[in-house]
């Protein structure tokens, strides 16, 4: 059943470029020869390795366990031998320890023990056990989210997928509709809520049509608008509730989970499968054969690109994630993590390369900012070294770093970087 | 293989500063052409001198600052062309050649470049250039207005004059001076038979430019409309005659100022709401100053209000998404106070 949605006025319309890959069915990518599985694939403490070099593991063996409440288990995604545990760089900077496994080619699989009775407690325990985290990009351990401090009455499954190019959630929604709905119902059961809303942007009519006929879930048809998938704006669009600055969705009675997360929950509960693969979109004008792939965690980006026919000659920028919030890559020598929804290769025509010029105070950035901030002021005060000014006058701390402001800026200002720097400095000072 | 490192977002909208400035130039085209037709070769010369001086002074200034010539060319954003053109359009065609030239240099060097270049100026360069011209070259500037070559198409009978108006005063000065209108509203709208500055007389041409800017989303339609309407209303109120509404908005430089100068990004507030207030205030100031001084003051009014823009930016700020409204805040405070009182009622008594 469809529900009425609220209109949020800011944001911007961005050509979505989804047709490059939206017609490609999810393809199972064969296991690569080696995988490098990061121990930090989530917000919180990195997992603690429980294997050592030389250990033989199976596909689905626990290789690192959650270190504390805000952390997540990590599993082997191929069967084979642990050949190294070493430190490797991450796309956004920083490093993490990785467990490197050499595949034996057999791909023998092991699963979690059967769950028994499906009770809320058991579901949460299974989510924790299976190492499930928010797969939309944040990577917050889902089990922690499942025990909110305030009463909640609504679960929103985020299928907005407002980033251009990405289609992995879209494909999941049309190919695995029943599984997803089941996963959503399991999450709802764990939370004790009745109302499940699938929030989908209007540019995915096939997904909306499929979800619409499912029992027991509501569908919110969202206008195509970036950043519709931002938690706060999604909640407002679906329920009319506004999450106050500094508060959590649970404070207004809502929990938001990503489509891929709901699917992982389904697999963990019904099939006893731990989280060791995910669906990713490999797309962009610089990729020969854009595709949606089911990828083992720890697969190298190079392997993904090769599986998609490699890059075109005019390949120019490599991006992990979506083009609005993703990170450009210095090499393709990175490995898939739980939070990776896409790998894009853009050509020079698409990628933004022009240098910033002076702010002309046109006000466009403020006009589109979904958080109603003043990005030009944040930029100005931050560059002047006045971080308090940036916080108080521009509202830097409430920024969701969606990049809408920078997208529209005619002067090409690096607004998001100013904001990040300002937040960083304010954090350091505390 | 090359790897590009860029800042997110990695894709950008198509709008650039240069593109916007080109749009403004296109929007100014009708008024420029009409001005040249009405006022002839003198107008053409004035415009050419002003634009050339503006561009040259920017380039020279940056060369003196030891910027590389390629950088200057690559970074050329057409703002100085806009300034030079706008400035010329606000000057009378009979001004001697050095007036547009020197005002243009003043506008670019003193008002814009010395403040740090594009986007850093406090007041609108073109407007300040015009004000500079009127102050510095007072004697030549007020020595007499030239009637356009185009004669009035519907002369007003009461004026007794036929064809073109007498030189010596723009229509606005006639109205403000109480001598009454000598041309019809239609003539005011078309600028036929109306003396004035090169670009300000034909409202139709300005309006076409304004519509273009709105369609191209360079400016918001409300901004000039608010300014113009409020000016007309306040002028009518001061004169206690609603009949003054149309002539007061159609005379003088109001259209040029409202569409092209008050809306200048750099010297107007950042947010939409602040701009509404700003434009309304501009209207009030313009009408009041006109009534008080009996001369055309659009440029002075805008200049004055430009100086207040930092205040607008500092105090009129949007409410963060999800933050409680003022009323909401007050309600929450009241509720908290009530709760507190409910919790310890005796404390109230003790006080
Ligand atoms: S959009 Fe860019 S140029 Fe316009 S006000 Fe914002 S930062 Fe300045
Ligand atoms: S200021 Fe932050 S929240 Fe607002 S548009 Fe820019 S990145 Fe998005």
């Amino acid at each position: 059943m469809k529900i009425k949605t609220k209109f949020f006025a800011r944001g911007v319309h961005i050509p979505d470029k989804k047709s490059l890959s939206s017609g490609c069915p999810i393809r199972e990518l064969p296991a690569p020869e080696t995988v490098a599985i990061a121990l930090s694939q989530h917000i919180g403490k990195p997992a603690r390795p429980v294997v050592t070099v030389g250990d033989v593991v199976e596909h689905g063996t626990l290789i690192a366990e959650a270190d504390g409440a805000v952390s997540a288990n990590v599993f082997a995604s191929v069967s084979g031998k642990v050949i190294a545990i070493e430190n490797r760089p991450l796309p956004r900077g920083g490093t993490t320890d990785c467990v490197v496994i050499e595949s034996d080619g057999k791909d023998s699989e092991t699963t979690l023990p059967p769950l028994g009775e499906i009770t809320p407690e058991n579901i949460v325990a299974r989510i924790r056990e299976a190492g499930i985290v928010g797969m939309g990009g944040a990577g917050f351990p889902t089990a922690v989210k499942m025990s909110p401090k305030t009463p909640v009455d609504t679960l929103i499954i985020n299928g907005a997928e407002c980033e251009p190019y990405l289609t992995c959630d879209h494909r999941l929604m049309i190919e695995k509709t029943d599984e997803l709905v089941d996963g959503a119902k399991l999450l709802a059961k764990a939370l004790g809520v009745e109302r499940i809303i699938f929030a989908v942007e209007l540019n995915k009519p096939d997904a909306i049509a499929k979800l619409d006929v499912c029992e027991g879930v509501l569908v919110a048809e969202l206008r195509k608008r970036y950043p519709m998938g931002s938690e706060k704006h999604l909640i407002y669009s679906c329920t009319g509730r506004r999450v106050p600055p500094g508060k959590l969705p649970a404070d207004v009675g809502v929990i938001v989970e990503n489509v891929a997360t709901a699917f992982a929950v389904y697999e963990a509960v019904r099939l006893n499968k731990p989280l060791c693969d995910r669906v990713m979109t490999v797309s962009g004008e610089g990729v020969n054969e854009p595709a949606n792939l089911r990828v083992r965690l720890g697969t190298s980006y190079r392997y993904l690109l090769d599986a998609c026919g490699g890059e075109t000659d005019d390949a120019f920028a490599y991006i992990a994630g979506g083009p609005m919030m993703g990170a450009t890559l210095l090499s393709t020598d990175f490995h898939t993590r739980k939070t990776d929804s896409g790998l894009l290769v853009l050509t020079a025509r698409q990628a933004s390369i022009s240098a910033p010029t002076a702010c002309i105070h046109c006000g466009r950035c403020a006009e589109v900012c979904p958080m109603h901030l003043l990005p030009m002021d944040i930029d100005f005060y931050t560059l002047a070294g006045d971080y308090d000014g940036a916080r108080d006058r521009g509202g830097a701390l409430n920024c969701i770093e969606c990049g809408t402001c920078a997208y529209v800026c005619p002067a090409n200002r690096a607004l998001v970087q100013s904001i990040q720097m300002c937040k960083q400095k304010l954090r350091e000072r505390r | 293989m090359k790897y590009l490192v860029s800042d997110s977002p990695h894709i950008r909208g198509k709008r650039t500063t240069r593109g916007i400035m080109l749009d403004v130039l296109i929007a100014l085209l009708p008024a420029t052409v009409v001005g040249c037709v009405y006022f002839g070769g003198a107008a053409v010369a004035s415009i050419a001198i002003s634009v050339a001086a503006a561009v040259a002074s920017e380039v020279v200034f940056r060369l003196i600052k030891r910027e590389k010539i390629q950088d200057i060319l690559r970074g050329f954003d057409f703002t100085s062309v806009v300034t030079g053109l706008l400035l010329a359009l606000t000057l009378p065609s009979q001004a001697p050649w050095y007036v547009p030239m020197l005002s243009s240099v003043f506008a670019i060097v003193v008002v814009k470049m010395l403040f740090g270049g594009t986007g850093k100026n406090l007041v609108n360069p073109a407007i300040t250039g015009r004000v500079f011209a009127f102050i510095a070259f007072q004697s030549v500037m007020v020595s007499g207005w030239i009637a356009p070559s185009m004669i009035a198409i519907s002369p007003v009978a009461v004026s007794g004059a036929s064809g073109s108006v007498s030189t010596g005063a723009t229509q606005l000065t006639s109205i403000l001076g109480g001598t009454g209108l000598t041309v019809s509203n239609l003539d005011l709208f078309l600028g036929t038979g109306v003396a004035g500055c090169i670009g300000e007389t034909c409202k139709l041409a300005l309006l076409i430019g304004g519509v273009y800017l709105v369609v191209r989303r360079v400016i918001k339609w409300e901004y000039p409309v608010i300014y113009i309407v409020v000016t007309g209303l306040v002028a009518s109120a001061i004169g206690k005659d609603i009949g003054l509404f149309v002539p007061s908005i159609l005379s003088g430089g109001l259209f040029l100022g409202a569409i092209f100068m008050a809306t200048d990004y750099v010297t107007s507030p950042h947010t939409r709401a602040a701009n509404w207030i700003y434009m309304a205030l501009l209207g009030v100031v313009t009408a009041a100053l006109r009534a008080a001084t009996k001369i055309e003051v659009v440029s002075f009014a805008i200049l004055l209000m430009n100086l207040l823009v930092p205040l607008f930016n500092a105090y009129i700020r949007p409410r963060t998404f999800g933050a409680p409204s003022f009323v909401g805040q007050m309600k929450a405070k009241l509720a908290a106070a009530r709760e507190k009182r409910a919790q310890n009622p005796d404390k109230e008594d003790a006080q």
Side-chain angles (χ1 to χ4, degrees), chain B residues 8 34 97 109 180 226 259 285:
Chain B
S8 67
V34 171
W97 62 272
V109 173
I226 292 176
I259 297 173
V285 170

Side-chain angles (χ1 to χ4, degrees), chain A residues 226-227 233 365 368-376 378 394-396 398-406 415-416 419 423:
Chain A
Y226 184 85
H233 300 91
C365 50
V368 298
C369 174
M371 293 306 294
H372 306 192
L373 310 178
L374 294 171
M376 76 292 259
I378 306 180
N398 290 315
C399 172
I400 55 172
E401 294 173 27
C402 63
T404 317
C405 49
L415 298 169
V416 178
I419 294 164
K423 284 182 171 175

Side-chain angles (χ1 to χ4, degrees), chain B residues 271-350:
Chain B
T271 63
R272 201 165 183 169
N275 266 301
W276 291 339
I277 302 170
Y278 176 76
M279 295 294 163
L281 268 177
L282 250 177
V284 174
V285 170
T286 305
L289 276 183
R290 269 182 177 180
T293 59
K294 308 272 182 263
I295 54 165
E296 178 51 326
V297 289
V298 168
S299 43
F300 288 94
I302 297 178
L303 186 58
L304 194 71
M305 290 298 289
N306 279 175
L307 294 171
L308 299 184
V309 165
L311 287 180
F312 279 81
N313 285 339
Y315 290 105
I316 306 180
R317 279 183 278 132
R319 178 154 51 88
T320 304
F321 180 81
S325 66
F326 183 73
V327 178
Q329 277 175 11
M330 289 302 127
K331 270 190 191 156
K333 266 192 194 149
L334 273 180
R338 216 175 295 134
E339 206 168 284
K340 212 171 174 189
R341 214 174 312 141
Q343 273 171 4
N344 32 3
D346 20 275
K347 205 172 164 195
E348 187 96 342
D349 297 339

Side-chain angles (χ1 to χ4, degrees), chain A residues 118-307:
Chain A
I118 295 188
T119 59
E121 295 73 33
N122 278 350
I123 297 173
V124 176
R126 175 47 56 95
I127 290 172
R128 177 170 297 122
E129 201 182 347
I132 296 174
V133 303
M135 287 160 80
F140 192 76
T142 306
V144 182
K145 242 171 149 179
M146 286 296 109
S147 26
K149 294 189 186 69
T150 44
V152 294
D153 61 1
T154 304
L155 169 70
I156 298 179
I157 304 295
N158 185 352
E161 207 168 46
C162 58
E163 279 264 15
Y165 293 99
L166 302 186
T167 54
C168 48
D169 290 352
H170 180 188
R171 289 312 302 185
L172 267 180
M173 284 188 283
I174 51 182
E175 288 179 37
K176 309 276 182 192
T177 321
D178 296 334
E179 291 86 341
L180 266 181
V181 169
D182 191 34
K185 284 181 180 162
L186 291 168
L187 279 166
K189 185 164 187 178
L191 284 165
V193 305
E194 296 281 311
R195 200 152 80 117
I196 306 172
I197 303 176
F198 270 85
V200 190
E201 268 189 359
L202 271 171
N203 59 355
K204 299 178 257 298
D206 42 357
I208 293 174
K210 280 204 131 180
L211 287 164
D212 200 23
V213 295
C214 293
E215 280 295 313
V217 296
L218 303 168
V219 181
E221 276 182 301
L222 305 172
R223 187 166 73 104
K224 212 190 106 40
R225 196 91 184 154
Y226 184 85
M228 187 53 92
S230 137
E231 229 170 36
K232 290 186 174 187
H233 300 91
L234 198 70
I235 292 171
Y236 178 71
S237 301
C238 293
T239 66
R241 300 177 199 171
R242 291 191 180 88
V243 183
K247 298 276 185 189
L248 294 172
D251 292 315
V252 295
V254 181
I255 294 287
V256 181
E257 288 296 351
N258 177 267
V259 164
T261 313
F263 184 66
V265 170
Y266 160 82
E267 290 207 315
V269 175
R270 303 286 184 200
L271 312 177
N272 305 317
K273 272 176 74 172
L275 180 57
C276 42
D277 54 26
R278 69 157 297 150
V279 180
M280 258 178 101
T281 300
V282 181
S283 182
E285 284 81 355
V287 173
N288 280 322
E289 298 156 22
N292 298 295
L293 304 170
R294 190 157 180 173
V295 181
R296 309 292 173 95
L297 298 178
T299 305
S300 88
Y301 287 174
R302 186 73 261 156
Y303 186 78
L304 291 181
L305 287 170
D306 289 344

Side-chain angles (χ1 to χ4, degrees), chain A residues 357-366 375-377 379 405-406 408-413 415, chain B residues 17 265 270:
Chain A
T357 54
C359 168
I360 54 169
H361 301 273
C362 64
R364 283 183 171 75
C365 50
M376 76 292 259
D377 278 354
D379 187 41
C405 49
V408 297
C409 176
N412 232 329
R413 307 285 314 157
L415 298 169
Chain B
T17 303
Y265 292 146
H270 285 154

